[in-house]
Amino acid sequence: MTETAKSFTAPLAGPDAKAAGEQRFRALLEHASDVIMLLDTDGTVLYASQSTSPVLGYAPTENVGRHVFDLVHPDDRSGALELFAELMQEPGHLVRTELRALHKDGGWRRLQVVGVNRLSEPAIRAIVVTYRDITERERTERDLRETLSLLNATFESTADGILVVDLEGHIVSFNRKFAELWRIPDSILETKNALQTMTFVLEQLADPQGFMTKERDLYARPDASSFDVLTFKDGRIFERFSQPQRIGEKSVGRVWSFRDVTEAKRAERIQLATYRISEAAHAAGSLQDLFRAIHRIVGELMPAKNFYIALYDAASDLLTFPYHVDEYDNDFPSKRPGKGLTEYVLRTGEPQLVTPEVQAELERRGQVELIGAPSIDWVGVPLKIGDRPMGVLVAQTYAPGVRYGETERHILQFVSTQVAMAIERKRTEEQLHESERKYRLLFETNPEPMFVYDFETLRIMAVNEAAIMRYGYSEAQFLALTIRDIRPPEEQGRLEQELTRRPDEGAVRSGVRHRAKDGRVFEVDLVARPLEFAGRRARLVLARDVTAQRHLEDQLRQSQKMEAVGQLAGGIAHDFNNLLTAILGSTQLLLQATPPGDVRREDVEEIRNAGLRAAELTRQLLAFSRRQVLAPKVLELNAVVANMDRMLRRLIGEDVELATALHAEAGAVNADPGQLEQVLLNLVVNARDAMPGGGRVLIETTCVLLRDELVERRHRLPPGDYVCLAVTDSGMGMDEATVQPYPDLRAGPYVLLAVSDTGHGMDRAVKARLFEPFFTTKEVGKGTGLGLATVYGIVKQSGGYIWVYSEPRRGTTVKVYLPRVPGAAEPPLPAPEPPALRGGHETVLLVEDAAPVRTLARRTLEAGGYTVLDAADGPSAIELSRRHGGVIDVLVTDVVMPGMSGRELAERLAPTRPEMKVLYTSGYTDDAMVRQGVLSAGVAFLQKPFVPDTLARKVRDVLDGVS
């Protein structure tokens, strides 16, 4: 101000000029916008300009004489005093400060103050202070600072990276997020070198050329806005926004905003991946197709060059690897769960990210073991259906430049649920398809007829090949039928009843009759089960043809009946033989004691003849029951037929022609000669009786080898070699081809004996009872009904089989199959002349439970000079032997006795009487020493009934060692 005053007054001279200058100076002071105040050396106000009033509200003179520091805010006063002291020390020194002053209204005003020491100047001699009110400016600046602070905070705290450039692309400003997103070093950004920054940016982008094209386009259009997406080489994704920066209406630059949407995009892709996996499960043709699709989808989300899927089956406790792609390890065998990382995930049920450090720690704790090639990073997540673990989804890396982290684990974990459901669904579909394929295969290849019919219309909807073959319809013809069409007329009523009460769960029916295309009716057992077929409610039916089975069941029942009758007959014959032994023995003794010419001798002979006829009947019963004793030999069947030729011709009479056709190499059989002759005799006699008006009998022999397929197809015989004896007639025949097949036959070589006649044949009723004992079609008194029953028993006991074939009005053939044996046949021995009856003086131990037989035997032996010790049972015989001090030369014992058998008795006596010989007697042989009706070699046996002479000769032969 002083300088200003001087400038105003300097050009003037004289008093008037001085006064005028002061006046102008005062006018300047009074009208200045800043307040001017003059202070004394103690701070007293000497002068205040007119602007004091608008600034602090005081009149210009109101504060004159007042200490200026009274107007200063207490908090600012000490500072003001220090500055005032500083002014007092340095004349001409200028100080500046800001402080608060008291307004007249009691408020405080912010002042900008300038002070200068003019005490040394004579014209002023004061401290000159100028001040102005900066309250509003400061408020404005404060607001601006707050605004700028807020903007800067927003600028720095936003999730977007922001870059501000001028119109030439030079960097004006950027926030820290921009540097972080672009990973640009501070050393580059601090220089704000646009070229270096751009170079660093372009190195990271997947499409740097596209980036630059967009940049040039926008800089060419300063007012344009834009949005695009940037993809980085490492997989990051940024959204880029660009807006022009305007001041007023003028564009002065451009603001770039970058947002990292990598995770959001990844989440979108992961979510989309789950849908794609679900779609793949529906579209994949197989599980392998699904596995490949899963690998491809996961590979789009993360590095998955090495990838595998492991599935665990709890039922078999087996871990399999149905899909695996690996750079180094191609061996993924199925195995029991061990201690690999895969099993570790299964055990824990948690996703695992296994780095080399984690791997080492798990191995150290013994929780895992290294299996296969070591990977750098391994990530595996469990595949679960609910809480049930079903497998593990795994990716691993061998390259140091490809590392896995939580992101990759999250990706696999996120898709694992959908993968598990997709695999389970596809596996279920494949199992269903496989099941359908198997059931279709079972349906089509089932050897039993099967068909499907509509539950409502009864129309047949599907049929298998077996049904086509069995019923004779083509498939097209079958599909035009209903189930009514395959029932014969007599079955329609039953069918209607069945249809009115069809249970929901299906039904099983037996004894149903069906009709084939050619009209044949056969019996079936039906099994019907409900199902849905071609969208319709339907029934699946299995129709098993049981015609042959029913026939076999009838035959089995017949066989069982025959067996029961045979057992009964054998038991009766055994007991009857004991009686006949006593009768025939007693009659022989009577005849020996009755002289010729005695009138009683004829009566005794009649009794004897009746007993012999009864004995023959008993022998036939034993033959039928297969309980007679056989003495088998190797025989040439042809020789047996030839030896009987003359006798048979006399037997059948002149009106019946007897012809033979004997195969030269028919072979040998192992049979009892007498029994085999009995078979041939009975068959020929039966053939003769079937031709009362005469006819022809043909006897044939041959060798046959029955194989499995022939047996099954034709005769139900076991495969093998047979000798066949056939007897054929040409009478009326029977209405079925075969009578009495055997379900227990075995394969092998057989000799066949066939006897044929031209008789009248048999009807169904006769045929059904053909081998029953006492059944006969002959007149009363002309047959016992045991002829064929005897043949049946002898053949079966000899290990053979018998069939009867017949055709109506074409006669009958009886075929006997006897097992063929190797070796040469034994030559037939001429019947020896019975030796003279000799007695002896040896001691005989006689054991017989039947008292009449025991008495007869004792009398016979005593009459022959023997000493006889007799007992009724085994224990009594043992006691008798113990008490007898002398030698016992021979034991004559019945085989079957109560309590102890004859065989057991002989064994019990053998240790104490080793030299004692044994002769067994029995009405039939059911004992262990006689197996299958054949005596063990070296065992002496006498068949009941016997007469005294036969007993005496047999005892003598045993004592003399004659076989």
Side-chain angles (χ1 to χ4, degrees), residues 382-643:
L383 299 174
K384 295 181 179 180
I385 298 297
D387 294 330
R388 176 176 62 87
M390 62 171 289
V392 181
L393 188 67
V394 176
Q396 55 188 335
T397 174
Y398 300 104
V402 182
R403 300 299 301 270
Y404 290 152
E406 291 300 323
T407 298
E408 286 71 27
R409 181 171 71 171
H410 172 72
I411 290 173
L412 283 188
Q413 186 175 2
F414 192 88
V415 302
S416 65
T417 300
Q418 193 64 43
V419 169
M421 290 191 297
I423 292 174
E424 184 72 6
R425 180 165 59 247
K426 179 55 65 177
R427 195 157 61 173
T428 301
E429 287 177 4
E430 286 200 349
Q431 291 172 350
L432 179 60
H433 292 158
E434 179 64 13
S435 176
E436 290 176 350
R437 186 190 67 80
K438 288 180 179 178
Y439 280 113
R440 169 60 62 179
L441 186 63
L442 287 174
F443 177 81
E444 292 176 349
T445 62
N446 196 307
E448 300 289 353
M450 297 182 74
F451 55 86
V452 178
Y453 75 89
D454 189 292
F455 186 81
E456 296 178 358
T457 66
L458 307 184
R459 182 178 60 85
I460 295 175
M461 306 172 69
V463 65
N464 71 348
E465 186 64 27
I468 293 173
M469 297 297 294
R470 185 67 186 88
Y471 288 79
Y473 295 101
S474 67
E475 183 178 7
Q477 291 172 333
F478 237 127
L479 299 183
L481 302 176
T482 70
I483 60 173
R484 288 191 174 93
D485 297 320
I486 59 175
R487 290 282 189 103
E490 63 271 17
E491 284 277 314
Q492 295 298 323
R494 175 180 177 177
L495 175 60
E496 293 303 323
Q497 292 179 357
E498 293 171 352
L499 292 176
T500 57
R501 50 178 190 272
R502 285 181 290 181
D504 292 338
E505 67 276 8
V508 177
R509 306 190 188 282
S510 60
V512 178
R513 292 168 66 82
H514 276 185
R515 181 177 60 186
K517 181 180 180 180
D518 60 6
R520 289 178 296 108
V521 176
F522 52 93
E523 187 174 345
V524 294
D525 285 347
L526 298 180
V527 179
R529 290 291 179 261
L531 81 160
E532 183 175 319
F533 188 85
R536 297 279 297 175
R537 188 181 178 193
R539 283 287 191 271
L540 171 65
V541 178
L542 184 146
R544 189 164 64 91
D545 186 352
V546 295
T547 306
Q549 177 183 330
R550 295 288 185 265
H551 185 57
L552 287 175
E553 289 173 356
D554 292 341
Q555 293 169 348
L556 178 60
R557 283 191 291 271
Q558 178 71 7
S559 176
Q560 290 172 337
K561 181 174 70 174
M562 296 285 287
E563 184 67 21
V565 172
Q567 290 180 358
L568 175 63
I572 294 172
H574 169 261
D575 293 338
F576 199 43
N577 272 337
N578 285 332
L579 298 176
L580 288 174
T581 300
I583 294 171
L584 291 174
S586 297
T587 55
Q588 183 177 8
L589 292 177
L590 282 173
L591 286 173
Q592 290 174 352
T594 304
D598 192 313
V599 294
R600 293 172 298 178
R601 188 176 181 89
E602 183 177 352
D603 295 334
V604 175
E605 287 178 348
E606 283 299 321
I607 295 172
R608 177 176 176 273
N609 291 335
L612 290 174
R613 287 195 297 274
E616 175 62 21
L617 180 62
T618 304
R619 187 184 64 78
Q620 291 177 331
L621 284 174
L622 284 172
F624 167 74
S625 64
R626 304 190 297 281
R627 294 176 181 270
Q628 63 182 334
V629 176
L630 300 182
K633 295 180 180 180
V634 178
L635 303 171
E636 285 287 348
L637 186 59
N638 288 348
V640 174
V641 175
N643 290 339

Side-chain angles (χ1 to χ4, degrees), residues 15 131 611:
Y131 62 87

Side-chain angles (χ1 to χ4, degrees), residues 123 282 609 644:
H282 292 288
N609 291 335
M644 294 188 67

Side-chain angles (χ1 to χ4, degrees), residues 264-280:
K265 293 295 184 182
R266 181 178 288 121
E268 290 177 5
R269 286 190 297 157
I270 293 174
Q271 186 65 50
L272 179 61
T274 61
Y275 296 128
R276 292 175 61 197
I277 291 171
S278 178
E279 291 174 354

